[in-house]
Amino acid sequence: MRRFGTLSFGHYGPLGGGRQLTAGDSLRQAVDLAQGMDDLGANGIYFRVHHFARQQASPMPLLAAIAATTERIEMGTGVIDMRYENPLYLAEEAAAVDLLSDGRLALGVSRGSPETVVRGYETFGYTGAVDPRGADLARAHFDTFLRAIDGEGMADGDPSSPFGGVAGRARIEPHSPGLRSRVWWGAGNRESAEWAGRVGVNLMSSTLLTEATGQPFDILQAEQLDAFRAAWREAGHQGEPRTSVSRSIFPITTDEDRLYFGRSGEGDGIGYIDGFRSTFGKTYAAEPDVLVEQLLQDAAIQSADTLMLTIPSQLGVEFNLRLVESFATHVAPALGWESTRA
């Protein structure tokens, strides 16, 4: 692990006791958190994307705001549901944010997680999926998106246009060179990870895998990362791809931390997600020295270059900045972390 950041689910709504976190509050707090984390030297801030839910749903305006108010921190998604996306419009937006941030975008995309509605992507106008979960639709959109950001001509030019005609095929604009190297695929199983390796994009692995073999979660996930890298090499791609894993990790340094997370430590779990028997990663909550010992034994954290800490965004900017600072000060250096401020 050389880099770490936060992964926020961006929940908003009633907080209890008559308090309310609005969508506007959530967005503004995300920008404030990014600025504070940039000052601390954290490497990235990433956001889950969900539709028809009180969570972040349209990440590009948020990422653009973060890009404009920070200097070093990477900003991205984990992940955008490609079933819902117009791939060419996404290519334009992604290029714009990547250019605004001087190449600090980490665009995580995938088929998406289980929804709160039935086939919501069809309501967005994207129909024709044969797979009941829309995986074929997501991959078709992703293929078009990759071709667009690679600069492939996507429409016939009109040389006679009074607005500056184009001969041949016109590419999507703006174009951001190198954006392809900052695209990630979110994989929930080995097959999907190997596919990402063959395609030649980076890999995001979450806190659950749609596999249950009896092996510990971190071992399953480390094997997934190994399979991804092997597929990358076999496909002949150059360089070393990036990999990330996400974990719920809470350094306990105050009585308030203990109140919230003192009983949160738990082992791997087995359950069913989207019809698949799945393995869920454990929650780590302990004093910093104990966390260091535990995390050094986590095979996937040791294998990945980036660790994403899932954070309780409803607890606000000040609380989450303190969590990030505690991790950066007391835990991350022992894991191999390289601060952006070094």
Side-chain angles (χ1 to χ4, degrees):
M1 186 208 90
R2 299 191 304 276
R3 305 176 180 92
F4 88 87
T6 58
L7 175 62
S8 172
F9 286 66
H11 294 291
Y12 56 89
L15 296 175
R19 296 176 301 152
Q20 178 85 6
L21 183 70
T22 69
D25 294 333
S26 177
L27 290 165
R28 285 186 286 271
Q29 287 184 10
V31 175
D32 291 343
L33 180 62
Q35 292 171 344
M37 288 174 57
D38 197 32
D39 292 338
L40 289 172
N43 306 86
I45 185 166
Y46 314 93
F47 301 92
R48 290 290 298 269
V49 179
H50 284 281
H51 301 284
F52 298 106
R54 290 180 175 179
Q55 293 179 245
Q56 307 294 356
S58 182
M60 291 304 176
L62 173 59
L63 299 182
I66 291 173
T69 54
T70 58
E71 297 178 353
R72 296 174 177 83
I73 196 167
E74 181 176 77
M75 73 287 303
T77 54
V79 294
I80 290 174
D81 189 332
M82 288 302 295
R83 296 174 295 184
Y84 283 82
E85 294 296 323
N86 178 314
L88 300 186
Y89 188 57
L90 180 62
E92 292 178 340
E93 287 189 311
V97 172
D98 198 51
L99 291 168
L100 283 169
S101 65
D102 293 325
R104 288 186 286 138
L105 179 63
L107 190 71
V109 302
S110 189
R111 189 218 70 185
S113 56
E115 303 178 273
T116 58
V117 297
V118 178
R119 299 174 75 94
Y121 46 90
E122 293 184 346
T123 306
F124 272 51
Y126 302 116
T127 60
V130 176
D131 185 282
R133 299 175 183 85
D136 54 338
L137 190 64
R139 291 196 179 183
H141 285 185
F142 186 54
D143 176 70
T144 302
F145 168 76
L146 287 182
R147 290 190 290 115
I149 65 171
D150 281 342
E152 181 179 324
M154 305 303 294
D156 290 328
D158 181 3
S160 64
S161 170
F163 301 103
V166 175
R169 300 279 286 175
R171 73 181 186 184
I172 288 293
E173 297 288 352
H175 175 73
S176 181
L179 175 57
R180 170 66 174 264
S181 68
R182 294 181 281 279
V183 174
W184 304 62
W185 182 261
N189 56 50
R190 191 170 315 201
E191 183 277 330
S192 184
E194 290 174 338
W195 176 83
R198 291 192 295 271
V199 170
V201 292
N202 304 303
L203 183 72
M204 284 185 178
S205 189
S206 186
T207 52
L208 68 89
L209 298 173
T210 53
E211 302 177 47
T213 65
Q215 290 182 290
F217 176 84
D218 66 305
I219 300 298
L220 278 176
Q221 193 170 47
E223 291 178 352
Q224 182 195 63
L225 300 182
D226 288 342
F228 161 74
R229 294 188 183 104
W232 172 284
R233 291 191 297 269
E234 290 169 6
H237 300 300
Q238 300 301 307
E240 184 69 19
R242 287 184 60 188
T243 54
S244 73
V245 297
S246 57
R247 291 286 188 278
S248 297
I249 301 173
F250 304 108
I252 296 178
T253 61
T254 68
D255 289 340
E256 186 179 24
D257 297 337
R258 194 173 304 282
L259 175 66
Y260 280 118
F261 309 116
R263 299 188 179 184
S264 297
E266 57 187 37
D268 296 346
I270 301 293
Y272 284 86
I273 290 289
D274 222 12
F276 293 97
R277 192 165 184 263
S278 304
T279 307
F280 301 81
K282 66 178 67 175
T283 295
Y284 292 99
E287 288 73 14
D289 57 335
V290 176
L291 280 182
V292 169
E293 293 180 10
Q294 293 175 336
L295 299 178
L296 286 173
Q297 299 303 313
D298 187 305
I301 290 177
Q302 295 305 302
S303 175
D305 63 74
T306 301
L307 173 61
M308 299 182 183
L309 308 178
T310 59
I311 56 169
S313 51
Q314 302 97 312
L315 293 182
V317 175
E318 182 178 352
F319 185 89
N320 281 292
L321 273 179
R322 186 169 59 74
L323 280 182
V324 172
E325 185 172 14
S326 292
F327 186 82
T329 302
H330 303 295
V331 180
L335 304 180
W337 173 51
E338 299 171 1
S339 169
T340 64
R341 296 285 175 177

CSV table of all heavy atoms in Angstrom, one decimal, residues 8-13 20-36 45-50 53-67 69-70 75-77 311 313-314 316-317:
chain,number,residue,atom,x,y,z
A,8,SER,N,-16.7,7.5,0.0
A,8,SER,CA,-17.9,8.0,0.7
A,8,SER,C,-19.1,7.5,-0.1
A,8,SER,O,-19.2,7.6,-1.3
A,8,SER,CB,-17.9,9.5,0.7
A,8,SER,OG,-19.2,10.0,1.2
A,9,PHE,N,-20.1,7.0,0.7
A,9,PHE,CA,-21.4,6.6,0.1
A,9,PHE,C,-22.3,7.8,-0.1
A,9,PHE,O,-23.3,7.7,-0.8
A,9,PHE,CB,-22.0,5.5,0.9
A,9,PHE,CG,-21.4,4.2,0.8
A,9,PHE,CD1,-20.1,4.0,1.3
A,9,PHE,CD2,-22.0,3.1,0.2
A,9,PHE,CE1,-19.5,2.7,1.2
A,9,PHE,CE2,-21.4,1.9,0.1
A,9,PHE,CZ,-20.2,1.7,0.6
A,10,GLY,N,-21.9,8.9,0.5
A,10,GLY,CA,-22.7,10.2,0.2
A,10,GLY,C,-24.1,10.2,0.7
A,10,GLY,O,-24.9,10.9,0.1
A,11,HIS,N,-24.4,9.4,1.7
A,11,HIS,CA,-25.8,9.4,2.2
A,11,HIS,C,-26.2,10.7,2.8
A,11,HIS,O,-25.4,11.5,3.4
A,11,HIS,CB,-26.0,8.4,3.3
A,11,HIS,CG,-25.8,6.9,2.9
A,11,HIS,ND1,-26.7,6.3,2.1
A,11,HIS,CD2,-24.8,6.0,3.2
A,11,HIS,CE1,-26.2,5.0,1.9
A,11,HIS,NE2,-25.1,4.9,2.5
A,12,TYR,N,-27.5,11.1,2.5
A,12,TYR,CA,-28.1,12.3,3.2
A,12,TYR,C,-29.5,12.0,3.5
A,12,TYR,O,-30.1,11.0,3.1
A,12,TYR,CB,-27.9,13.5,2.3
A,12,TYR,CG,-28.5,13.4,0.9
A,12,TYR,CD1,-29.9,13.7,0.7
A,12,TYR,CD2,-27.8,13.0,-0.2
A,12,TYR,CE1,-30.4,13.6,-0.6
A,12,TYR,CE2,-28.3,12.9,-1.4
A,12,TYR,CZ,-29.6,13.2,-1.7
A,12,TYR,OH,-30.2,13.1,-2.9
A,13,GLY,N,-30.1,12.8,4.4
A,13,GLY,CA,-31.5,12.6,4.8
A,13,GLY,C,-31.5,12.8,6.3
A,13,GLY,O,-30.7,13.5,6.9
A,20,GLN,N,-31.3,17.2,10.0
A,20,GLN,CA,-31.5,16.8,8.6
A,20,GLN,C,-30.2,17.2,7.8
A,20,GLN,O,-29.7,18.3,7.9
A,20,GLN,CB,-32.7,17.6,7.9
A,20,GLN,CG,-32.9,17.3,6.4
A,20,GLN,CD,-33.7,16.0,6.2
A,20,GLN,OE1,-34.2,15.4,7.2
A,20,GLN,NE2,-33.9,15.6,5.0
A,21,LEU,N,-29.7,16.2,7.1
A,21,LEU,CA,-28.5,16.5,6.2
A,21,LEU,C,-29.1,16.5,4.8
A,21,LEU,O,-29.6,15.5,4.2
A,21,LEU,CB,-27.5,15.4,6.3
A,21,LEU,CG,-26.2,15.5,5.4
A,21,LEU,CD1,-25.4,16.7,6.0
A,21,LEU,CD2,-25.4,14.2,5.4
A,22,THR,N,-29.1,17.6,4.1
A,22,THR,CA,-29.7,17.8,2.8
A,22,THR,C,-28.7,17.4,1.7
A,22,THR,O,-27.5,17.2,2.0
A,22,THR,CB,-30.1,19.2,2.6
A,22,THR,OG1,-28.9,20.1,2.4
A,22,THR,CG2,-31.0,19.8,3.7
A,23,ALA,N,-29.2,17.3,0.5
A,23,ALA,CA,-28.3,16.9,-0.6
A,23,ALA,C,-27.2,18.0,-0.8
A,23,ALA,O,-26.1,17.7,-1.1
A,23,ALA,CB,-29.1,16.8,-1.9
A,24,GLY,N,-27.6,19.3,-0.6
A,24,GLY,CA,-26.7,20.4,-0.7
A,24,GLY,C,-25.6,20.3,0.4
A,24,GLY,O,-24.4,20.6,0.1
A,25,ASP,N,-26.1,20.0,1.6
A,25,ASP,CA,-25.1,19.8,2.7
A,25,ASP,C,-24.1,18.8,2.3
A,25,ASP,O,-22.9,18.9,2.5
A,25,ASP,CB,-25.8,19.4,4.0
A,25,ASP,CG,-26.8,20.5,4.5
A,25,ASP,OD1,-26.5,21.7,4.3
A,25,ASP,OD2,-27.7,20.1,5.2
A,26,SER,N,-24.6,17.6,1.8
A,26,SER,CA,-23.7,16.5,1.5
A,26,SER,C,-22.6,16.9,0.5
A,26,SER,O,-21.5,16.6,0.6
A,26,SER,CB,-24.5,15.3,1.0
A,26,SER,OG,-23.7,14.2,0.6
A,27,LEU,N,-23.1,17.6,-0.6
A,27,LEU,CA,-22.1,18.0,-1.6
A,27,LEU,C,-21.1,19.0,-1.1
A,27,LEU,O,-19.9,18.9,-1.3
A,27,LEU,CB,-22.9,18.6,-2.8
A,27,LEU,CG,-23.7,17.7,-3.6
A,27,LEU,CD1,-24.7,18.4,-4.5
A,27,LEU,CD2,-22.9,16.8,-4.5
A,28,ARG,N,-21.6,20.0,-0.3
A,28,ARG,CA,-20.6,21.0,0.2
A,28,ARG,C,-19.6,20.4,1.2
A,28,ARG,O,-18.5,20.7,1.2
A,28,ARG,CB,-21.4,22.2,0.8
A,28,ARG,CG,-22.1,23.1,-0.2
A,28,ARG,CD,-22.7,24.3,0.5
A,28,ARG,NE,-23.9,23.9,1.2
A,28,ARG,CZ,-25.1,23.9,0.6
A,28,ARG,NH1,-25.3,24.3,-0.7
A,28,ARG,NH2,-26.2,23.6,1.3
A,29,GLN,N,-20.1,19.5,2.0
A,29,GLN,CA,-19.2,18.8,2.9
A,29,GLN,C,-18.2,18.0,2.2
A,29,GLN,O,-17.1,17.9,2.7
A,29,GLN,CB,-20.1,18.0,3.9
A,29,GLN,CG,-20.8,18.8,4.9
A,29,GLN,CD,-21.5,17.9,6.0
A,29,GLN,OE1,-21.3,16.7,6.0
A,29,GLN,NE2,-22.4,18.5,6.7
A,30,ALA,N,-18.6,17.4,1.1
A,30,ALA,CA,-17.6,16.6,0.3
A,30,ALA,C,-16.5,17.4,-0.2
A,30,ALA,O,-15.3,17.0,-0.2
A,30,ALA,CB,-18.3,15.9,-0.8
A,31,VAL,N,-16.8,18.6,-0.6
A,31,VAL,CA,-15.7,19.6,-1.1
A,31,VAL,C,-14.9,20.0,0.1
A,31,VAL,O,-13.6,20.0,0.0
A,31,VAL,CB,-16.4,20.8,-1.8
A,31,VAL,CG1,-15.3,21.8,-2.2
A,31,VAL,CG2,-17.2,20.4,-3.0
A,32,ASP,N,-15.5,20.3,1.2
A,32,ASP,CA,-14.7,20.7,2.4
A,32,ASP,C,-13.8,19.6,2.8
A,32,ASP,O,-12.6,19.8,3.2
A,32,ASP,CB,-15.6,21.1,3.5
A,32,ASP,CG,-16.4,22.4,3.2
A,32,ASP,OD1,-15.9,23.2,2.3
A,32,ASP,OD2,-17.4,22.7,3.9
A,33,LEU,N,-14.3,18.4,2.8
A,33,LEU,CA,-13.5,17.2,3.2
A,33,LEU,C,-12.3,17.0,2.3
A,33,LEU,O,-11.2,16.8,2.7
A,33,LEU,CB,-14.3,15.9,3.3
A,33,LEU,CG,-13.6,14.6,3.7
A,33,LEU,CD1,-13.1,14.7,5.1
A,33,LEU,CD2,-14.6,13.5,3.5
A,34,ALA,N,-12.5,17.2,1.0
A,34,ALA,CA,-11.5,17.0,0.0
A,34,ALA,C,-10.4,18.1,0.3
A,34,ALA,O,-9.2,17.8,0.2
A,34,ALA,CB,-12.0,17.2,-1.4
A,35,GLN,N,-10.8,19.3,0.6
A,35,GLN,CA,-9.8,20.3,0.8
A,35,GLN,C,-8.9,20.0,2.1
A,35,GLN,O,-7.7,20.2,2.1
A,35,GLN,CB,-10.5,21.7,1.0
A,35,GLN,CG,-11.1,22.2,-0.3
A,35,GLN,CD,-12.0,23.4,0.0
A,35,GLN,OE1,-12.4,23.7,1.1
A,35,GLN,NE2,-12.3,24.1,-1.1
A,36,GLY,N,-9.6,19.5,3.1
A,36,GLY,CA,-8.9,19.2,4.4
A,36,GLY,C,-8.0,18.0,4.1
A,36,GLY,O,-6.8,18.0,4.7
A,45,ILE,N,-9.8,11.0,-2.8
A,45,ILE,CA,-11.2,11.0,-2.3
A,45,ILE,C,-12.1,10.5,-3.4
A,45,ILE,O,-12.1,11.0,-4.5
A,45,ILE,CB,-11.5,12.4,-1.8
A,45,ILE,CG1,-12.9,12.4,-1.1
A,45,ILE,CG2,-11.5,13.5,-2.9
A,45,ILE,CD1,-13.2,13.7,-0.3
A,46,TYR,N,-12.9,9.5,-3.0
A,46,TYR,CA,-13.7,8.8,-4.0
A,46,TYR,C,-15.1,8.7,-3.5
A,46,TYR,O,-15.4,8.6,-2.3
A,46,TYR,CB,-13.1,7.4,-4.3
A,46,TYR,CG,-11.6,7.4,-4.4
A,46,TYR,CD1,-10.8,7.2,-3.4
A,46,TYR,CD2,-11.0,7.6,-5.7
A,46,TYR,CE1,-9.4,7.2,-3.5
A,46,TYR,CE2,-9.6,7.7,-5.8
A,46,TYR,CZ,-8.8,7.5,-4.7
A,46,TYR,OH,-7.4,7.5,-4.8
A,47,PHE,N,-16.1,8.6,-4.5
A,47,PHE,CA,-17.5,8.6,-4.2
A,47,PHE,C,-18.2,7.5,-4.9
A,47,PHE,O,-18.0,7.2,-6.1
A,47,PHE,CB,-18.1,10.0,-4.6
A,47,PHE,CG,-17.4,11.1,-3.9
A,47,PHE,CD1,-16.4,11.8,-4.5
A,47,PHE,CD2,-17.8,11.6,-2.7
A,47,PHE,CE1,-15.7,12.8,-3.9
A,47,PHE,CE2,-17.2,12.6,-2.0
A,47,PHE,CZ,-16.2,13.3,-2.6
A,48,ARG,N,-19.1,6.8,-4.1
A,48,ARG,CA,-20.0,5.9,-4.7
A,48,ARG,C,-21.1,6.6,-5.4
A,48,ARG,O,-21.5,7.7,-5.1
A,48,ARG,CB,-20.7,5.0,-3.6
A,48,ARG,CG,-19.7,4.1,-2.9
A,48,ARG,CD,-19.3,2.9,-3.8
A,48,ARG,NE,-20.4,2.1,-4.2
A,48,ARG,CZ,-20.8,1.0,-3.6
A,48,ARG,NH1,-20.2,0.6,-2.4
A,48,ARG,NH2,-21.8,0.3,-4.0
A,49,VAL,N,-21.6,6.0,-6.5
A,49,VAL,CA,-22.7,6.6,-7.3
A,49,VAL,C,-23.9,5.7,-7.3
A,49,VAL,O,-23.8,4.5,-7.7
A,49,VAL,CB,-22.2,6.8,-8.7
A,49,VAL,CG1,-23.3,7.4,-9.6
A,49,VAL,CG2,-21.0,7.8,-8.7
A,50,HIS,N,-25.0,6.2,-6.8
A,50,HIS,CA,-26.3,5.4,-6.8
A,50,HIS,C,-27.4,6.3,-7.3
A,50,HIS,O,-27.5,7.5,-7.0
A,50,HIS,CB,-26.6,4.9,-5.4
A,50,HIS,CG,-25.8,3.7,-5.0
A,50,HIS,ND1,-26.0,2.4,-5.4
A,50,HIS,CD2,-24.7,3.7,-4.2
A,50,HIS,CE1,-25.2,1.6,-4.9
A,50,HIS,NE2,-24.3,2.3,-4.1
A,53,ALA,N,-31.7,7.1,-5.1
A,53,ALA,CA,-31.4,7.0,-3.7
A,53,ALA,C,-30.8,8.3,-3.2
A,53,ALA,O,-30.3,9.1,-4.0
A,53,ALA,CB,-30.4,5.8,-3.5
A,54,ARG,N,-30.9,8.5,-1.9
A,54,ARG,CA,-30.4,9.7,-1.3
A,54,ARG,C,-28.9,9.5,-1.1
A,54,ARG,O,-28.4,9.4,0.0
A,54,ARG,CB,-31.1,10.0,0.1
A,54,ARG,CG,-32.5,10.4,-0.1
A,54,ARG,CD,-33.2,10.7,1.2
A,54,ARG,NE,-34.5,11.2,1.1
A,54,ARG,CZ,-35.3,11.6,2.1
A,54,ARG,NH1,-34.9,11.4,3.3
A,54,ARG,NH2,-36.5,12.0,1.8
A,55,GLN,N,-28.2,9.5,-2.2
A,55,GLN,CA,-26.7,9.4,-2.3
A,55,GLN,C,-26.2,10.2,-3.5
A,55,GLN,O,-27.0,10.7,-4.2
A,55,GLN,CB,-26.3,7.9,-2.4
A,55,GLN,CG,-26.6,7.1,-1.2
A,55,GLN,CD,-26.2,5.6,-1.4
A,55,GLN,OE1,-27.0,4.7,-1.4
A,55,GLN,NE2,-24.9,5.4,-1.5
A,56,GLN,N,-24.9,10.3,-3.6
A,56,GLN,CA,-24.3,11.0,-4.8
A,56,GLN,C,-24.8,10.2,-6.0
A,56,GLN,O,-24.7,9.0,-6.1
A,56,GLN,CB,-22.8,11.0,-4.7
A,56,GLN,CG,-22.2,11.5,-3.4
A,56,GLN,CD,-22.5,13.0,-3.2
A,56,GLN,OE1,-23.1,13.6,-4.0
A,56,GLN,NE2,-22.1,13.5,-2.0
A,57,ALA,N,-25.3,11.0,-7.0
A,57,ALA,CA,-25.8,10.3,-8.2
A,57,ALA,C,-25.2,10.9,-9.5
A,57,ALA,O,-25.1,10.3,-10.5
A,57,ALA,CB,-27.4,10.5,-8.3
A,58,SER,N,-24.8,12.2,-9.4
A,58,SER,CA,-24.2,12.9,-10.5
A,58,SER,C,-22.8,13.4,-10.1
A,58,SER,O,-22.7,14.6,-9.7
A,58,SER,CB,-25.1,14.0,-11.0
A,58,SER,OG,-24.6,14.7,-12.1
A,59,PRO,N,-21.8,12.6,-10.2
A,59,PRO,CA,-20.5,13.0,-9.6
A,59,PRO,C,-19.7,14.0,-10.3
A,59,PRO,O,-18.8,14.7,-9.7
A,59,PRO,CB,-19.8,11.6,-9.6
A,59,PRO,CG,-20.3,10.9,-10.8
A,59,PRO,CD,-21.8,11.3,-10.8
A,60,MET,N,-19.9,14.3,-11.6
A,60,MET,CA,-19.0,15.1,-12.3
A,60,MET,C,-19.0,16.6,-11.8
A,60,MET,O,-17.9,17.2,-11.7
A,60,MET,CB,-19.3,15.1,-13.8
A,60,MET,CG,-18.9,13.7,-14.4
A,60,MET,SD,-17.2,13.3,-14.1
A,60,MET,CE,-17.1,11.7,-14.8
A,61,PRO,N,-20.1,17.2,-11.5
A,61,PRO,CA,-20.1,18.5,-10.9
A,61,PRO,C,-19.3,18.6,-9.6
A,61,PRO,O,-18.5,19.5,-9.4
A,61,PRO,CB,-21.5,18.9,-10.8
A,61,PRO,CG,-22.3,18.1,-11.7
A,61,PRO,CD,-21.5,16.8,-11.8
A,62,LEU,N,-19.5,17.6,-8.8
A,62,LEU,CA,-18.8,17.5,-7.5
A,62,LEU,C,-17.3,17.4,-7.7
A,62,LEU,O,-16.5,18.1,-7.1
A,62,LEU,CB,-19.3,16.3,-6.7
A,62,LEU,CG,-18.5,16.0,-5.4
A,62,LEU,CD1,-18.6,17.2,-4.4
A,62,LEU,CD2,-19.1,14.8,-4.7
A,63,LEU,N,-16.9,16.5,-8.6
A,63,LEU,CA,-15.4,16.3,-8.9
A,63,LEU,C,-14.8,17.5,-9.5
A,63,LEU,O,-13.7,17.8,-9.2
A,63,LEU,CB,-15.2,15.1,-9.8
A,63,LEU,CG,-15.7,13.7,-9.3
A,63,LEU,CD1,-15.4,12.6,-10.3
A,63,LEU,CD2,-15.1,13.4,-7.9
A,64,ALA,N,-15.6,18.2,-10.3
A,64,ALA,CA,-15.1,19.5,-10.9
A,64,ALA,C,-14.8,20.5,-9.8
A,64,ALA,O,-13.8,21.3,-9.8
A,64,ALA,CB,-16.0,20.0,-12.0
A,65,ALA,N,-15.8,20.6,-8.9
A,65,ALA,CA,-15.6,21.5,-7.7
A,65,ALA,C,-14.4,21.2,-6.9
A,65,ALA,O,-13.6,22.1,-6.5
A,65,ALA,CB,-16.9,21.6,-6.9
A,66,ILE,N,-14.2,19.9,-6.7
A,66,ILE,CA,-13.0,19.5,-5.9
A,66,ILE,C,-11.7,19.8,-6.7
A,66,ILE,O,-10.7,20.3,-6.1
A,66,ILE,CB,-13.1,18.0,-5.6
A,66,ILE,CG1,-14.2,17.8,-4.6
A,66,ILE,CG2,-11.8,17.4,-5.0
A,66,ILE,CD1,-14.5,16.3,-4.3
A,67,ALA,N,-11.7,19.5,-8.0
A,67,ALA,CA,-10.6,19.8,-8.8
A,67,ALA,C,-10.2,21.3,-8.7
A,67,ALA,O,-9.0,21.6,-8.7
A,67,ALA,CB,-10.8,19.4,-10.3
A,69,THR,N,-10.6,23.4,-6.3
A,69,THR,CA,-10.3,23.9,-5.0
A,69,THR,C,-9.2,23.1,-4.2
A,69,THR,O,-9.0,23.3,-3.0
A,69,THR,CB,-11.6,23.9,-4.1
A,69,THR,OG1,-12.2,22.6,-4.1
A,69,THR,CG2,-12.6,24.9,-4.6
A,70,THR,N,-8.6,22.2,-4.9
A,70,THR,CA,-7.5,21.4,-4.3
A,70,THR,C,-6.3,21.4,-5.3
A,70,THR,O,-6.4,21.9,-6.4
A,70,THR,CB,-7.9,19.9,-4.1
A,70,THR,OG1,-8.3,19.3,-5.4
A,70,THR,CG2,-9.1,19.8,-3.1
A,75,MET,N,-9.2,12.7,-7.3
A,75,MET,CA,-10.6,12.6,-7.0
A,75,MET,C,-11.2,11.6,-8.0
A,75,MET,O,-10.8,11.5,-9.2
A,75,MET,CB,-11.3,13.9,-7.0
A,75,MET,CG,-11.5,14.6,-8.4
A,75,MET,SD,-10.0,15.2,-9.2
A,75,MET,CE,-9.4,16.3,-7.9
A,76,GLY,N,-12.2,10.8,-7.5
A,76,GLY,CA,-12.8,9.9,-8.5
A,76,GLY,C,-14.1,9.2,-8.0
A,76,GLY,O,-14.7,9.7,-7.0
A,77,THR,N,-14.4,8.2,-8.6
A,77,THR,CA,-15.7,7.4,-8.3
A,77,THR,C,-15.4,6.0,-8.1
A,77,THR,O,-14.4,5.4,-8.6
A,77,THR,CB,-16.6,7.6,-9.5
A,77,THR,OG1,-16.0,7.1,-10.7
A,77,THR,CG2,-17.1,9.0,-9.7
A,311,ILE,N,-16.0,5.8,4.9
A,311,ILE,CA,-16.1,6.7,6.0
A,311,ILE,C,-17.6,7.0,6.3
A,311,ILE,O,-18.5,6.9,5.4
A,311,ILE,CB,-15.4,8.1,5.7
A,311,ILE,CG1,-15.9,8.7,4.4
A,311,ILE,CG2,-13.9,7.9,5.7
A,311,ILE,CD1,-15.5,10.1,4.2
A,313,SER,N,-20.0,9.4,6.3
A,313,SER,CA,-20.1,10.7,5.9
A,313,SER,C,-21.1,11.5,6.6
A,313,SER,O,-21.0,12.8,6.8
A,313,SER,CB,-20.4,10.8,4.4
A,313,SER,OG,-21.5,10.0,4.1
A,314,GLN,N,-22.1,10.9,7.2
A,314,GLN,CA,-23.2,11.6,8.0
A,314,GLN,C,-22.6,12.2,9.2
A,314,GLN,O,-23.3,13.1,9.8
A,314,GLN,CB,-24.3,10.6,8.3
A,314,GLN,CG,-25.0,10.0,7.1
A,314,GLN,CD,-24.4,8.6,6.9
A,314,GLN,OE1,-23.2,8.3,6.9
A,314,GLN,NE2,-25.3,7.6,6.7
A,316,GLY,N,-20.1,14.1,9.5
A,316,GLY,CA,-19.6,15.5,9.2
A,316,GLY,C,-18.1,15.6,8.9
A,316,GLY,O,-17.3,14.6,9.0
A,317,VAL,N,-17.7,16.8,8.4
A,317,VAL,CA,-16.3,17.0,8.0
A,317,VAL,C,-15.3,16.9,9.1
A,317,VAL,O,-14.3,16.2,9.0
A,317,VAL,CB,-16.2,18.4,7.3
A,317,VAL,CG1,-14.8,18.7,6.9
A,317,VAL,CG2,-17.1,18.4,6.0
